[in-house]
Amino acid sequence: MSSSYTVLLYSDNTKVRADMRSAIGERPASDATIEYLEARDYEEAIRHIDTYVVDLILLDGEARPAGGMAIARQLRDELDDPPMSCLLLRRAADRWLAAWSEADASLLYPLDPLRTGATVVELLRSRRSPATR
C-alpha cells in the first residue's frame, strides 16, 4: 500500500528548491509518493504549515533573511506536533548548527539524489502514518 506525504521545500533560491524536488522525486520509494509545497520566504513557509498537514520540511540553511536553522528551531519550540525537518547545509562543519536547531536530519548541498531520497523516505516513515493523523 502506497502512502502520500506532503513535503514543504523552503528556500529563497528558486534553483535550490528545484534541486530539492529533483533529488527527491515524485516517488522516492515504491510505497511513498510526494506532494510538494514550496515557500520562498518565512511568511509563506509558516502559512503553509498552518494551512496544510506537512509531513516534512526541507529547509535551506542558507536562506535569507530567515534561515532554515532558525525556522527548524522555532517549529520545535512552538508546535506540539511539528513536521519532521531536514536541513540543507553547504558545509559539513555546520552540522553542529543543525543539531542546535533540533532538525531531524541534515544533508549537504549539492544534493546526492540517492542519499536525499533515502533520508526523506526514512524521515517520512518514522513519522506517524498519514492515515492516523
Side-chain angles (χ1 to χ4, degrees):
M1 183 167 128
S2 182
S3 295
S4 179
Y5 298 96
T6 301
V7 174
L8 174 57
L9 307 175
Y10 170 75
S11 179
D12 62 329
N13 186 316
T14 304
K15 182 184 180 326
V16 172
R17 290 193 313 269
D19 289 347
M20 291 175 179
R21 182 186 290 257
S22 177
I24 300 167
E26 301 294 322
R27 193 172 184 93
S30 61
D31 64 341
T33 57
I34 306 293
E35 294 180 34
Y36 290 100
L37 298 170
E38 294 191 19
R40 66 184 173 279
D41 59 37
Y42 171 83
E43 290 79 15
E44 190 173 21
I46 298 303
R47 188 171 48 253
H48 284 322
I49 290 167
D50 288 344
T51 305
Y52 301 97
V53 176
V54 174
D55 299 296
L56 171 68
I57 182 168
L58 194 58
L59 299 147
D60 181 358
E62 301 286 322
R64 303 213 186 279
M69 293 173 218
I71 293 174
R73 180 64 183 242
Q74 177 183 350
L75 295 175
R76 287 278 184 238
D77 289 346
E78 294 181 1
L79 298 178
D80 292 331
D81 185 25
M84 300 296 285
S85 60
C86 182
L87 279 170
L88 182 60
L89 306 172
R90 300 297 191 289
R91 303 174 324 143
D94 288 338
R95 289 199 192 273
W96 74 272
L97 289 167
W100 168 84
S101 73
E102 298 182 17
D104 297 294
S106 62
L107 294 164
L108 292 176
Y109 190 81
L111 294 168
D112 173 319
L114 294 176
R115 182 176 303 238
T116 302
T119 299
V120 165
V121 168
E122 180 181 326
L123 289 170
L124 291 172
R125 286 179 178 157
S126 70
R127 186 156 169 85
R128 290 191 309 242
S129 166
T132 63
R133 284 186 277 141

